[in-house]
Amino acid sequence: MKLSHFNFNLPKELLAEFPAENRDESRLMVIDRKKQTIEHKMFKDVIDYFDDGDVLILNNTKVFPARLYGNKEKTGARIEVFLLRELNAEQRLWDVLVDPARKIRIGNKLYFGDDDSLVAEVIDNTTSRGRTLRFLYDGSYEEFRNKLTELGETPIPKYINREVTPEDADRYQTIYAKEEGAVAAPTAGLHFSKHLLKRLEIKGAKFAEVTLHVGLGTFNPVEVEDLSKHKMDSEELKITQEACDIVNEAKANKKRICAVGTTSMRAIESSVSSQNTLNPYDGWTNKFIFPPHDFSIATCMITNFHTPKSTLLMMISAFCGHDLMRKAYDEAIKEGYKFYSYGDAMLIL
């Protein structure tokens, strides 16, 4: 498969700027791979597809307020700093992206907050927009992290062309988020309400939690026509023995196993045993899933609608089958489904 197979015209008005009023009342397209059918439902109808012993795999990563605005010393120029990952807690070193990058050189200092209570020094260039910063702050590590949280804002995607609202801090986060470390939300999980999870639990469904800290690499455009030459950024991944036991028991009992989101799917496909069972994992993954790919664990998945030429769309094509995926996307556009982070959802059976 080539990059050009994943291009389509997406009308701008279908990019969701705001989430649905209630989490579980976004729309749900249900695709049955065996029957080759497409149905239109509400997200809360997802409960009809799961029974006693079925498992939903949830990514419990938590988004932190990764976007900061500072001022460059001397010129006072406003600089956006996007925190990607902590490199060294003791030295307060961080991998970041800066914008506009051309103004930021090694040795520059950036000042944050109305009182300049946080200062960062640029100590390395990593990519065209990437820098390594050393934060200078008088206080304990805990106080420093609190200061980052206080000054940072919810990193809603750039295409959302509006100011961040207080509502975003709540809605750009799954209700089961626990492990802080993501710079983007695992968006398929945003549709689950507490009420819906409780109803699934009462029905006998089980939940296996994995942690994949979503990095910006997930959204990096693919720029090579030959997909095998695309390199994914690494993301931190943890799968516990407990999660493996829940999934492997369901697999042994031929129950339905649902990956909630492309991040959950990447997580489990990164740690499969030779017997096609799930193994514990603690490390990093740069797995890139594109057609053809044999999936080992999940029998179905929940996902949002993705943008053209994205690695996420390529994974959906591999799981759904390319022709059926294209048919579903054509129908989604025709029916006015909302795309991307705050958009509607799809259940692929």
Side-chain angles (χ1 to χ4, degrees), residues 63-80:
V63 179
F64 67 96
R67 191 174 275 130
L68 304 171
Y69 292 95
N71 297 98
K72 191 180 168 188
E73 64 178 338
K74 295 184 184 142
T75 67
R78 189 175 191 244
I79 306 293
E80 178 190 311

Side-chain angles (χ1 to χ4, degrees), residues 238-251:
K238 186 165 192 176
I239 302 174
T240 62
Q241 184 63 56
E242 183 190 0
C244 294
D245 292 344
I246 294 168
V247 170
N248 292 335
E249 184 189 358
K251 193 171 164 71

